[in-house]
Amino acid sequence: MEDYNLLELPNGIRVVHKEVANTKIVHCGFILDIGSRDERENQLGIAHFWEHMAFKGTSKRKAFHILNRLDSVGGELNAYTTKEKICFYASALDKHTENAFEILQDITFDSVFPEKQIENERGVILEEMSLYRDSPEDAIQDEFDHVIFGEHPLGQNILGTPSSVRSFHRKDFQQFLNENMNTEQVVFSCVGNIPFKKVKKLAEKYFGHVPRLHGQRQRIDFKHYQPLTQTITKQISQAHCAIGSTAYNLADDKRLPFFMLLNILGGPGMNSRLNLALREKYGFVYNVEAVYHPYSDTGLFAIFYGTEKKQAKRSQRLVMKELEKLKKSPLGTMQLHKAKEQLIGQLAMSEENNANLMLMMGKSILDLGRIESLESIFDQIRLVTSQQLLDIANESFDESKMSFLTFLPEA
């Protein structure tokens, strides 16, 4: 992406901005290179708990005033936690941009973690855990992380465990921030119909006084993957299945062609091979998807679907058959062209969503130090060859290296 502006403040915080016309909404947020994989054994779930607690009180606001700051003018304030990122973000009318900048700085850097609010939010998170346990399509994704990564931090549930969540107090949050908060690994991203001059002025006003922070945490690389097959019986009505393995990391040159390969296999298009094989031809599934999560040192790819218990084994055979096809049969010229055009179209449409664009920009600066233009990505897609995809399929879809997780209904 060529038309973006990048500023680094004296404390190390980077500010990235893209001006877009024909919108009255500004989307902005802090993306932090901190996630659940940065937790120690006695901290499981604390990154996600911190995300919740950021809204529960700062040095100058109580919870109600935080929630009311943008909601009262029709804006939105939100957050999320992943394995490697925490994001606090907002959307508001452009005339309320300054409010958004100010409240985001406040909750990101000035939370005070009131003990009473910790106690209240503990119950909320325990209910969130119950909600996920009652949703097998969500639970299997979390459980499959553990199948792939085992006891490594990447294999742990982002929500933590009931016992860990019950154990946290103010000092634990403060310790986690001291260990992990590094202002050189913080990016503020902004997309909207406002000039960079205004963004720079507001960033210097609200973020410039943040002290330079030097959290020294060291991530533990994941190195020893062992394939695993596991079947768990649950009180559910459908069988839920996961198939997958480790995959390429964020810096790997094969990341984009692999993403393209998975888009062919089980992307969002109704013409994906898995959708045609399992849903359209046999009616075995309502939804089937292939996902890819690249991390700084490794990655994960997985296929997820739900089906009737009696169709579980046959559905698995159909999935493996589609993987074998990609390993043995190179795409023809027209198939390859259509696959490229489909992915290019999907990426172009995703950039039309300014909120998604804002988050993508921040993560790209954190992970790669740059933002690639859409045209540059399109050029890379156009250069992918059928032989490349065939080689990657054979490297990635080796059945002997696959892990399998199945949730089966109790008899």
Side-chain angles (χ1 to χ4, degrees):
M1 182 186 297
E2 294 120 0
D3 53 345
Y4 70 91
N5 302 286
L6 186 63
L7 164 73
E8 183 171 335
L9 298 173
N11 53 21
I13 294 173
R14 285 168 288 175
V15 178
V16 61
H17 164 257
K18 178 178 172 66
E19 185 173 354
V20 295
N22 304 317
T23 179
K24 295 293 291 179
I25 305 299
V26 171
H27 303 279
C28 54
F30 280 108
I31 298 93
L32 290 72
D33 196 35
I34 305 171
S36 63
R37 73 171 300 176
D38 300 310
E39 298 162 349
R40 289 184 279 106
E41 191 173 347
N42 65 335
Q43 296 175 324
L44 298 181
I46 200 167
H48 170 259
F49 205 145
W50 168 33
E51 172 217 312
H52 279 237
M53 288 303 303
F55 296 83
K56 301 305 175 183
T58 68
S59 54
K60 62 182 178 182
R61 285 187 177 90
K62 293 187 177 181
F64 171 78
H65 301 107
I66 292 170
L67 298 176
N68 199 47
R69 180 69 165 162
L70 290 180
D71 281 24
S72 64
V73 293
E76 295 180 356
L77 184 64
N78 214 331
Y80 67 81
T81 304
T82 69
K83 301 285 185 178
E84 294 191 330
K85 301 286 185 290
I86 294 176
C87 179
F88 301 105
Y89 61 100
S91 300
L93 283 168
D94 51 12
K95 67 180 181 179
H96 300 299
T97 298
E98 185 165 359
N99 287 356
F101 276 52
E102 191 272 336
I103 192 67
L104 284 167
Q105 181 278 323
D106 198 27
I107 66 172
T108 304
F109 295 102
D110 290 332
S111 293
V112 294
F113 309 108
E115 285 288 356
K116 182 178 179 181
Q117 292 288 355
I118 291 172
E119 204 57 45
N120 291 343
E121 206 60 24
R122 213 189 300 281
V124 172
I125 293 173
L126 292 171
E127 287 301 317
E128 187 178 357
M129 288 180 176
S130 298
L131 181 66
Y132 272 83
R133 284 196 298 269
D134 288 343
S135 175
E137 59 269 23
D138 293 325
I140 196 167
Q141 297 191 32
D142 290 330
E143 189 65 32
F144 197 59
D145 284 348
H146 191 258
V147 167
I148 297 295
F149 298 115
E151 297 305 315
H152 184 274
L154 283 171
Q156 303 302 318
N157 193 312
I158 289 172
L159 299 181
T161 67
S163 60
S164 66
V165 166
R166 291 189 180 101
S167 72
F168 299 138
H169 295 281
R170 178 186 293 166
K171 63 179 176 56
D172 300 301
F173 294 98
Q174 293 169 336
Q175 180 183 1
F176 182 72
L177 265 65
N178 290 337
E179 292 171 349
N180 289 279
M181 183 71 89
N182 184 335
T183 45
E184 293 181 2
Q185 295 175 325
V186 175
V187 171
F188 184 82
S189 182
C190 180
V191 174
N193 189 18
I194 55 173
F196 181 59
K197 182 178 179 181
K198 180 176 181 179
V199 171
K200 181 175 183 291
K201 181 180 178 181
L202 292 175
E204 289 172 342
K205 178 179 179 180
Y206 290 108
F207 315 152
H209 71 278
V210 174
R212 181 179 283 271
L213 302 170
H214 301 279
Q216 296 297 310
R217 64 104 164 94
Q218 294 292 322
R219 282 182 174 158
I220 303 169
D221 286 349
F222 178 76
K223 295 179 179 178
H224 304 295
Y225 166 67
Q226 292 293 329
L228 179 66
T229 297
Q230 190 172 25
T231 300
I232 301 172
T233 57
K234 288 177 170 281
Q235 290 183 335
I236 51 179
S237 58
Q238 253 194 333
H240 289 266
C241 309
I243 302 169
S245 181
T246 51
Y248 305 109
N249 66 39
L250 278 163
D252 200 299
D253 291 339
K254 296 177 183 177
R255 182 167 68 99
L256 183 58
F258 183 64
F259 180 67
M260 180 177 169
L261 189 66
L262 286 193
N263 201 55
I264 295 167
L265 178 67
M270 295 294 286
N271 64 341
S272 76
R273 292 193 176 192
L274 290 176
N275 192 70
L276 292 175
L278 273 72
R279 174 174 169 152
E280 298 301 323
K281 188 172 182 179
Y282 292 103
F284 285 173
V285 304
Y286 174 72
N287 183 57
V288 56
E289 60 177 344
V291 300
Y292 170 38
H293 300 300
Y295 300 118
S296 54
D297 57 328
T298 184
L300 169 120
F301 102 85
I303 297 163
F304 296 106
Y305 59 92
T307 188
E308 286 188 62
K309 181 179 180 180
K310 65 182 180 181
Q311 306 293 3
K313 289 185 178 179
R314 191 174 177 196
S315 295
Q316 181 177 305
R317 288 196 295 269
L318 288 170
V319 170
M320 300 311 296
K321 184 178 179 181
E322 292 303 321
L323 294 177
E324 282 299 312
K325 287 180 183 177
L326 288 170
K327 289 165 60 180
K328 293 180 178 178
S329 304
L331 296 184
T333 303
M334 186 54 68
Q335 287 178 311
L336 182 62
H337 173 73
K338 288 182 177 180
K340 291 178 180 180
E341 288 301 305
Q342 182 171 14
L343 183 55
I344 286 170
Q346 290 170 349
L347 292 174
M349 284 194 290
S350 70
E351 191 164 296
E352 290 289 306
N353 183 317
N354 288 336
N356 287 346
L357 176 61
M358 178 272 294
L359 295 170
M360 179 278 290
M361 287 168 50
K363 287 184 281 189
S364 293
I365 294 294
L366 273 179
D367 292 332
L368 306 173
R370 67 185 189 281
I371 302 172
E372 290 188 281
S373 70
L374 265 184
E375 280 306 319
S376 172
I377 296 171
F378 293 168
D379 288 343
Q380 293 174 54
I381 291 171
R382 293 184 183 107
L383 289 174
V384 173
T385 67
S386 182
Q387 187 60 49
Q388 275 182 292
L389 295 178
L390 192 70
D391 291 343
I392 289 172
N394 277 278
E395 187 173 80
S396 302
F397 300 153
D398 182 345
E399 187 171 353
S400 68
K401 297 178 182 177
M402 291 283 189
S403 290
F404 300 84
L405 173 63
T406 305
F407 289 173
L408 285 180
E410 293 179 348

